[in-house]
Amino acid sequence: FFHRPAAAQHLPARRRRLAMGAEQSTLDVQRVGYHVLQVQPRSPGSDAGLVAFFDFIVAANGAPLVNDDGSSADFVAVLRDNVDTPVMLVVYNTRAESTREVALVPSTQWGGKGLAGISIRFCSFEHANEHVWHVLDVYEKSPAAAAGLESRTDYIVGTPDLVFNDSEDFFALIGQNLGKPLRLYVYNTASDAVRTVTITPNNDWGGHGCLGCDVGYGYLHRIPRAETNPELLRARQPLTPGEHKLHPLMVPGHDGYVAGAQQQQQQQ
Protein backbone atom coordinates (compact mmCIF):
# COMPACT_ATOMS: atom_id res chain seq x y z
CA PHE A 1 0.00 0.00 0.00
CA PHE A 2 3.02 2.29 0.31
CA HIS A 3 5.34 3.04 -2.57
CA ARG A 4 8.68 3.66 -0.88
CA PRO A 5 11.75 4.06 -3.11
CA ALA A 6 14.59 1.88 -1.89
CA ALA A 7 16.75 4.92 -1.27
CA ALA A 8 14.18 6.38 1.10
CA GLN A 9 14.11 3.23 3.21
CA HIS A 10 17.78 3.59 4.08
CA LEU A 11 17.94 7.29 4.79
CA PRO A 12 19.43 7.91 8.23
CA ALA A 13 17.14 9.44 10.80
CA ARG A 14 17.65 13.20 10.85
CA ARG A 15 18.37 14.18 14.43
CA ARG A 16 17.54 17.66 15.61
CA ARG A 17 18.99 19.06 18.77
CA LEU A 18 16.79 21.11 21.04
CA ALA A 19 17.65 24.73 21.73
CA MET A 20 20.37 23.99 24.31
CA GLY A 21 22.88 26.81 24.08
CA ALA A 22 26.10 25.80 22.36
CA GLU A 23 24.68 22.49 21.19
CA GLN A 24 22.12 24.22 19.00
CA SER A 25 23.55 24.91 15.57
CA THR A 26 23.52 28.52 14.42
CA LEU A 27 21.78 27.60 11.18
CA ASP A 28 18.91 25.81 12.97
CA VAL A 29 18.36 28.85 15.20
CA GLN A 30 18.34 31.21 12.24
CA ARG A 31 16.15 29.34 9.78
CA VAL A 32 12.98 29.19 11.84
CA GLY A 33 9.68 31.02 11.86
CA TYR A 34 5.94 30.63 12.20
CA HIS A 35 4.81 28.14 9.56
CA VAL A 36 1.48 29.14 8.00
CA LEU A 37 -0.49 25.89 7.87
CA GLN A 38 -3.94 27.12 6.90
CA VAL A 39 -5.46 30.44 5.84
CA GLN A 40 -9.20 30.98 6.29
CA PRO A 41 -11.09 32.58 3.38
CA ARG A 42 -11.87 36.29 3.75
CA SER A 43 -9.67 36.49 6.85
CA PRO A 44 -6.99 39.10 7.63
CA GLY A 45 -4.39 36.48 6.71
CA SER A 46 -6.08 35.92 3.36
CA ASP A 47 -6.30 39.66 2.73
CA ALA A 48 -2.56 39.90 3.43
CA GLY A 49 -1.89 37.27 0.75
CA LEU A 50 -0.43 34.60 3.06
CA VAL A 51 0.10 31.25 1.34
CA ALA A 52 -0.59 28.07 3.31
CA PHE A 53 2.27 25.58 3.83
CA PHE A 54 4.84 27.54 1.79
CA ASP A 55 4.91 30.73 3.90
CA PHE A 56 6.91 31.23 7.09
CA ILE A 57 6.45 34.44 9.09
CA VAL A 58 9.93 35.40 10.31
CA ALA A 59 9.51 38.98 11.58
CA ALA A 60 6.80 41.39 12.70
CA ASN A 61 7.13 45.16 12.80
CA GLY A 62 10.87 44.91 12.27
CA ALA A 63 11.53 42.41 15.07
CA PRO A 64 12.61 38.79 14.40
CA LEU A 65 10.18 36.21 15.77
CA VAL A 66 12.97 34.07 17.22
CA ASN A 67 14.76 34.73 20.50
CA ASP A 68 18.53 34.50 20.97
CA ASP A 69 18.19 30.98 22.40
CA GLY A 70 16.21 29.78 19.38
CA SER A 71 12.82 29.84 21.10
CA SER A 72 9.80 31.52 19.55
CA ALA A 73 8.87 35.12 20.21
CA ASP A 74 5.24 35.76 21.15
CA PHE A 75 3.69 36.49 17.77
CA VAL A 76 0.16 36.21 19.16
CA ALA A 77 0.96 39.02 21.60
CA VAL A 78 2.03 41.20 18.67
CA LEU A 79 -1.34 40.61 17.02
CA ARG A 80 -3.22 41.29 20.27
CA ASP A 81 -1.38 44.57 20.75
CA ASN A 82 -2.20 45.75 17.24
CA VAL A 83 -5.89 45.01 16.68
CA ASP A 84 -7.15 47.06 13.71
CA THR A 85 -3.60 48.33 13.12
CA PRO A 86 -1.41 47.10 10.24
CA VAL A 87 1.37 44.75 11.35
CA MET A 88 4.22 44.58 8.86
CA LEU A 89 5.28 40.96 8.42
CA VAL A 90 8.39 39.62 6.73
CA VAL A 91 7.41 36.34 5.09
CA TYR A 92 9.76 33.74 3.62
CA ASN A 93 8.22 31.55 0.92
CA THR A 94 9.91 28.16 0.59
CA ARG A 95 8.53 27.55 -2.89
CA ALA A 96 9.65 30.88 -4.33
CA GLU A 97 12.77 30.87 -2.11
CA SER A 98 12.42 34.58 -1.42
CA THR A 99 11.05 37.00 1.14
CA ARG A 100 8.40 39.65 0.88
CA GLU A 101 6.83 42.13 3.27
CA VAL A 102 3.06 42.18 3.74
CA ALA A 103 0.67 44.16 5.91
CA LEU A 104 -1.68 42.13 8.11
CA VAL A 105 -4.43 43.89 10.07
CA PRO A 106 -5.53 41.81 13.10
CA SER A 107 -9.28 42.01 13.62
CA THR A 108 -12.02 40.69 15.86
CA GLN A 109 -14.69 41.62 13.33
CA TRP A 110 -13.81 39.59 10.24
CA GLY A 111 -16.34 36.85 11.05
CA GLY A 112 -14.15 33.91 12.01
CA LYS A 113 -11.92 32.62 14.76
CA GLY A 114 -8.69 34.28 15.79
CA LEU A 115 -7.28 37.70 15.03
CA ALA A 116 -5.69 36.69 11.72
CA GLY A 117 -7.66 33.63 10.60
CA ILE A 118 -4.55 31.50 10.18
CA SER A 119 -3.18 28.31 11.73
CA ILE A 120 0.53 28.51 12.55
CA ARG A 121 3.28 26.64 14.35
CA PHE A 122 6.88 27.53 15.12
CA CYS A 123 9.44 25.34 13.38
CA SER A 124 12.41 25.28 11.02
CA PHE A 125 11.92 26.00 7.33
CA GLU A 126 15.13 24.22 6.36
CA HIS A 127 14.18 21.31 4.03
CA ALA A 128 10.49 22.18 4.61
CA ASN A 129 9.43 21.08 1.12
CA GLU A 130 11.34 17.80 1.20
CA HIS A 131 9.35 15.89 3.83
CA VAL A 132 6.15 15.34 1.87
CA TRP A 133 4.41 12.18 0.70
CA HIS A 134 2.89 12.11 -2.79
CA VAL A 135 -0.44 10.30 -3.09
CA LEU A 136 -0.11 8.14 -6.20
CA ASP A 137 -3.04 5.73 -6.57
CA VAL A 138 -6.16 5.66 -4.38
CA TYR A 139 -8.16 2.43 -4.37
CA GLU A 140 -11.94 2.23 -4.30
CA LYS A 141 -13.71 1.75 -0.95
CA SER A 142 -10.44 2.27 0.91
CA PRO A 143 -9.81 4.54 3.92
CA ALA A 144 -7.96 6.88 1.56
CA ALA A 145 -10.94 7.07 -0.79
CA ALA A 146 -13.33 7.65 2.10
CA ALA A 147 -11.10 10.48 3.32
CA GLY A 148 -11.22 12.13 -0.09
CA LEU A 149 -7.54 11.79 -1.00
CA GLU A 150 -6.94 12.50 -4.68
CA SER A 151 -4.55 10.54 -6.87
CA ARG A 152 -1.46 12.31 -8.22
CA THR A 153 -2.46 15.83 -7.13
CA ASP A 154 -2.43 15.36 -3.33
CA TYR A 155 0.65 15.65 -1.11
CA ILE A 156 0.59 14.79 2.60
CA VAL A 157 2.62 17.53 4.27
CA GLY A 158 2.04 17.09 8.01
CA THR A 159 -0.45 16.93 10.85
CA PRO A 160 -1.73 19.47 13.38
CA ASP A 161 0.44 17.78 16.02
CA LEU A 162 3.57 16.63 14.19
CA VAL A 163 6.28 18.20 12.05
CA PHE A 164 7.70 15.63 9.62
CA ASN A 165 11.50 15.63 9.85
CA ASP A 166 12.42 12.21 8.47
CA SER A 167 11.41 9.73 5.78
CA GLU A 168 10.03 7.29 8.36
CA ASP A 169 7.92 9.78 10.34
CA PHE A 170 4.78 9.29 8.24
CA PHE A 171 4.93 5.50 8.29
CA ALA A 172 5.48 5.46 12.04
CA LEU A 173 2.52 7.81 12.51
CA ILE A 174 0.20 5.55 10.50
CA GLY A 175 1.33 2.45 12.40
CA GLN A 176 0.65 4.14 15.73
CA ASN A 177 -2.89 5.11 14.74
CA LEU A 178 -4.45 1.94 13.34
CA GLY A 179 -8.19 2.09 13.88
CA LYS A 180 -8.04 5.71 15.05
CA PRO A 181 -9.15 8.85 13.19
CA LEU A 182 -6.05 10.76 12.13
CA ARG A 183 -5.97 14.33 10.84
CA LEU A 184 -3.53 15.12 8.05
CA TYR A 185 -2.60 18.33 6.28
CA VAL A 186 -2.83 17.72 2.54
CA TYR A 187 -1.67 20.08 -0.21
CA ASN A 188 -3.36 19.79 -3.61
CA THR A 189 -1.60 21.06 -6.72
CA ALA A 190 -4.86 21.59 -8.65
CA SER A 191 -6.41 23.89 -6.04
CA ASP A 192 -3.02 25.18 -4.78
CA ALA A 193 -4.39 24.93 -1.23
CA VAL A 194 -3.85 22.98 1.98
CA ARG A 195 -6.83 21.23 3.56
CA THR A 196 -7.33 19.04 6.62
CA VAL A 197 -8.22 15.41 5.87
CA THR A 198 -9.38 12.87 8.47
CA ILE A 199 -8.46 9.26 7.69
CA THR A 200 -8.81 6.09 9.78
CA PRO A 201 -6.07 3.56 8.90
CA ASN A 202 -7.29 -0.04 9.17
CA ASN A 203 -6.57 -3.44 7.69
CA ASP A 204 -10.20 -4.56 7.43
CA TRP A 205 -11.47 -2.48 4.51
CA GLY A 206 -11.13 -5.36 2.03
CA GLY A 207 -7.93 -4.51 0.21
CA HIS A 208 -4.20 -4.33 0.74
CA GLY A 209 -2.64 -2.05 3.30
CA CYS A 210 -4.20 0.07 6.01
CA LEU A 211 -4.67 3.22 3.89
CA GLY A 212 -5.59 1.82 0.50
CA CYS A 213 -3.31 4.15 -1.42
CA ASP A 214 0.22 4.19 -2.76
CA VAL A 215 2.49 7.04 -1.70
CA GLY A 216 5.86 8.17 -2.99
CA TYR A 217 8.62 9.88 -1.05
CA GLY A 218 11.87 11.43 -2.20
CA TYR A 219 13.23 13.78 -4.82
CA LEU A 220 10.90 12.60 -7.62
CA HIS A 221 7.84 13.02 -5.41
CA ARG A 222 8.31 16.52 -4.08
CA ILE A 223 5.76 19.23 -4.71
CA PRO A 224 6.46 20.61 -8.19
CA ARG A 225 7.69 24.15 -8.53
CA ALA A 226 4.79 26.02 -10.09
CA GLU A 227 4.97 29.54 -11.47
CA THR A 228 1.23 30.01 -11.98
CA ASN A 229 0.27 31.07 -8.47
CA PRO A 230 0.03 34.90 -8.50
CA GLU A 231 1.16 35.18 -4.87
CA LEU A 232 4.23 33.07 -5.57
CA LEU A 233 4.97 35.02 -8.73
CA ARG A 234 4.68 38.25 -6.80
CA ALA A 235 7.05 36.90 -4.15
CA ARG A 236 9.74 36.43 -6.82
CA GLN A 237 9.27 39.82 -8.52
CA PRO A 238 11.01 43.06 -7.49
CA LEU A 239 8.79 45.48 -5.63
CA THR A 240 7.28 48.32 -7.60
CA PRO A 241 7.61 51.97 -6.51
CA GLY A 242 5.34 52.71 -3.58
CA GLU A 243 5.43 49.17 -2.20
CA HIS A 244 7.12 48.45 1.10
CA LYS A 245 10.73 47.40 0.73
CA LEU A 246 11.86 44.03 2.03
CA HIS A 247 13.27 44.20 5.51
CA PRO A 248 17.00 44.08 4.66
CA LEU A 249 18.13 42.10 7.70
CA MET A 250 15.52 39.37 7.31
CA VAL A 251 16.40 38.00 3.88
CA PRO A 252 17.42 34.38 4.52
CA GLY A 253 20.66 33.42 2.85
CA HIS A 254 23.51 31.02 3.44
CA ASP A 255 24.15 32.57 6.84
CA GLY A 256 20.47 32.97 7.75
CA TYR A 257 18.95 36.22 8.94
CA VAL A 258 19.75 36.44 12.65
CA ALA A 259 23.26 37.79 12.10
CA GLY A 260 21.80 40.62 10.06
CA ALA A 261 19.24 41.35 12.77
CA GLN A 262 21.96 41.54 15.39
CA GLN A 263 23.96 43.87 13.15
CA GLN A 264 21.02 46.27 12.78
CA GLN A 265 20.38 46.24 16.50
CA GLN A 266 23.99 47.29 17.04
CA GLN A 267 23.56 50.12 14.55
CA GLN A 268 20.47 51.34 16.37
Side-chain angles (χ1 to χ4, degrees):
F1 68 99
F2 288 130
H3 172 70
R4 273 196 288 181
Q9 298 181 36
H10 300 292
L11 289 175
R14 187 171 186 270
R15 304 298 182 188
R16 290 183 178 271
R17 293 190 178 109
L18 299 175
M20 297 291 288
E23 293 187 2
Q24 172 71 15
S25 73
T26 302
L27 185 61
D28 283 343
V29 173
Q30 293 170 342
R31 302 183 69 80
V32 293
Y34 281 95
H35 192 185
V36 178
L37 300 173
Q38 290 185 308
V39 181
Q40 297 300 318
R42 297 179 295 278
S43 66
S46 176
D47 293 341
L50 292 178
V51 180
F53 182 66
F54 300 108
D55 275 352
F56 283 76
I57 302 169
V58 296
N61 285 340
L65 293 175
V66 56
N67 298 319
D68 291 340
D69 63 355
S71 62
S72 61
D74 194 347
F75 178 51
V76 176
V78 176
L79 298 180
R80 272 198 310 264
D81 294 341
N82 290 276
V83 173
D84 297 327
T85 302
V87 176
M88 299 310 300
L89 304 179
V90 177
V91 179
Y92 177 67
N93 186 280
T94 59
R95 201 172 182 190
E97 298 180 354
S98 64
T99 56
R100 68 190 190 279
E101 190 171 49
V102 302
L104 184 147
V105 182
S107 174
T108 59
Q109 305 297 320
W110 67 274
K113 294 182 179 179
L115 295 175
I118 59 177
S119 298
I120 57 176
R121 68 179 165 208
F122 188 79
C123 59
S124 171
F125 54 75
E126 188 181 12
H127 308 301
N129 292 350
E130 297 179 12
H131 303 299
V132 300
W133 282 259
H134 188 193
V135 178
L136 300 176
D137 293 310
V138 176
Y139 302 105
E140 293 184 1
K141 300 180 181 180
S142 67
L149 289 179
E150 299 181 14
S151 298
R152 307 294 169 175
T153 58
D154 271 352
Y155 292 78
I156 299 167
V157 298
T159 81
D161 306 307
L162 178 66
V163 179
F164 292 145
N165 290 322
D166 184 73
S167 61
E168 298 299 318
D169 286 352
F170 176 63
F171 304 111
L173 178 70
I174 297 301
Q176 294 165 3
N177 286 274
L178 290 176
K180 305 174 185 177
L182 177 63
R183 290 194 301 161
L184 302 173
Y185 286 134
V186 177
Y187 170 76
N188 183 271
T189 54
S191 64
D192 196 26
V194 176
R195 70 188 189 278
T196 302
V197 167
T198 301
I199 189 170
T200 303
N202 71 85
N203 292 310
D204 302 321
W205 63 275
H208 294 292
C210 61
L211 291 185
C213 68
D214 297 328
V215 297
Y217 177 91
Y219 181 78
L220 297 178
H221 296 287
R222 293 177 188 170
I223 297 171
R225 189 187 186 96
E227 300 295 346
T228 56
N229 185 310
E231 289 298 331
L232 298 181
L233 284 173
R234 183 182 183 281
R236 295 187 62 86
Q237 294 173 350
L239 297 177
T240 58
E243 289 187 290
H244 290 283
K245 294 181 180 179
L246 293 181
H247 204 289
L249 69 149
M250 295 301 296
V251 180
H254 177 71
D255 296 325
Y257 55 77
V258 169
Q262 293 170 345
Q263 181 178 3
Q264 191 195 55
Q265 289 170 358
Q266 291 173 357
Q267 293 173 349
Q268 294 175 346

